[in-house]
């Protein structure tokens, strides 16, 4: 951010997906869903918009130092039990707030759990990528479904049996299953 002299992360939707109305709406929904969650274990969304003249959506988010948990496991092997418990508890805190706001993530896996490095060297989990989240009709606004009944949304290795059957009719229990896996 030039005026504030801060690094930010900018996520763009590929132009070929931006031309698809469902893809663009899903991208905007990701920004709206993440912005509703004020938990320290969810990446803060700072802005959302579209590039002028090209109609390519973007999301501006806090910049994180670190790497995803998938990379940590790949490079270092299994996470020590005490640290794994701390990471899962932090992810649970974020997911609990998402569920309170009617948001089901639907794609919790190590690649969407970011091990962020804090200013004093402390490490904490940040839940990423609400791109296929489901927002249940809370707050009076009816959500238009972008997911067909037979559409598989998420990463099969981490999905609950219910999610494998239908990504559309889920509640927060699917996320709890994925965190357990």
């Amino acid at each position: 951010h030039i005026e504030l002299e801060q690094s930010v992360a900018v996520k763009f939707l590929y132009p070929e997906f931006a031309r698809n109305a469902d893809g663009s709406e899903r991208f905007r929904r990701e920004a709206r869903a993440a912005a509703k969650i004020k938990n320290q274990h969810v990446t803060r969304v700072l802005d959302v918009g579209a590039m002028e003249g090209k109609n390519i959506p973007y999301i501006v988010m806090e910049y994180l130092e670190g790497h995803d948990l998938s990379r940590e496991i790949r490079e270092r092997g299994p996470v020590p039990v005490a640290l794994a418990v701390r990471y899962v508890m932090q992810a649970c805190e974020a997911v609990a707030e998402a569920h309170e706001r009617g948001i089901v993530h639907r794609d919790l896996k190590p690649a969407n759990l970011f091990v962020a490095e804090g200013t004093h060297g402390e490490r904490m989990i940040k839940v990423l990528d609400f791109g296929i989240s489901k927002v249940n009709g809370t707050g009076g606004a009816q959500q238009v479904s972008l997911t067909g009944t037979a559409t598989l949304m998420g990463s099969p290795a981490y999905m609950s049996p219910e999610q494998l059957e239908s990504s559309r009719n889920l509640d927060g229990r699917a996320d709890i299953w994925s965190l357990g896996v």
Side-chain angles (χ1 to χ4, degrees):
H1 190 289
I2 295 168
E3 279 298 311
L4 297 178
E5 299 177 354
Q6 290 182 340
S7 294
V8 295
V10 182
K11 182 176 182 177
F12 291 94
L13 188 61
Y14 284 115
E16 57 269 21
F17 296 119
R19 287 189 286 274
N20 176 304
D22 283 354
S24 286
E25 180 53 31
R26 195 171 274 130
F27 191 79
R28 287 179 182 86
R29 185 179 287 182
E30 171 184 1
R32 288 191 300 267
K36 287 180 183 180
I37 306 166
K38 306 297 183 203
N39 190 280
Q40 67 176 332
H41 298 292
V42 174
T43 306
R44 282 188 337 268
V45 172
L46 307 172
D47 194 13
V48 64
M51 290 176 55
E52 288 186 39
K54 298 186 188 248
N55 201 29
I56 297 174
Y58 63 84
I59 302 170
V60 181
M61 301 173 285
E62 72 176 303
Y63 180 80
L64 301 174
E65 297 278 348
H67 54 270
D68 66 52
L69 185 56
S70 178
R71 176 177 158 194
E72 181 156 321
I73 293 167
R74 193 173 52 253
E75 291 178 358
R76 297 184 182 166
V79 177
V81 173
L83 185 57
V85 168
R86 195 171 105 219
Y87 286 169
V88 170
M89 292 302 293
Q90 291 174 1
C92 285
E93 187 180 313
V95 169
E97 185 170 333
H99 293 171
E100 286 173 15
R101 300 192 184 288
I103 301 165
V104 181
H105 189 285
R106 296 198 298 189
D107 197 22
L108 290 169
K109 58 187 177 184
N112 285 335
L113 300 176
F114 195 87
V115 182
E117 303 288 336
T119 54
H120 302 293
E122 73 280 6
R123 301 169 80 195
M124 71 179 331
I125 289 294
K126 294 273 194 169
V127 176
L128 305 175
D129 199 358
F130 283 81
I132 64 166
S133 65
K134 176 185 176 210
V135 181
N136 293 323
T138 58
Q142 185 65 24
Q143 292 292 327
V144 176
S145 178
L146 297 175
T147 307
T149 303
T151 304
L152 185 65
M153 300 293 285
S155 301
Y158 297 94
M159 286 181 172
S160 68
E162 296 80 9
Q163 189 170 356
L164 286 167
E165 289 178 7
S166 172
S167 288
R168 183 182 228 177
N169 302 316
L170 294 179
D171 60 27
R173 293 175 291 184
D175 286 345
I176 295 167
W177 173 281
S178 297
L179 281 174
V181 171

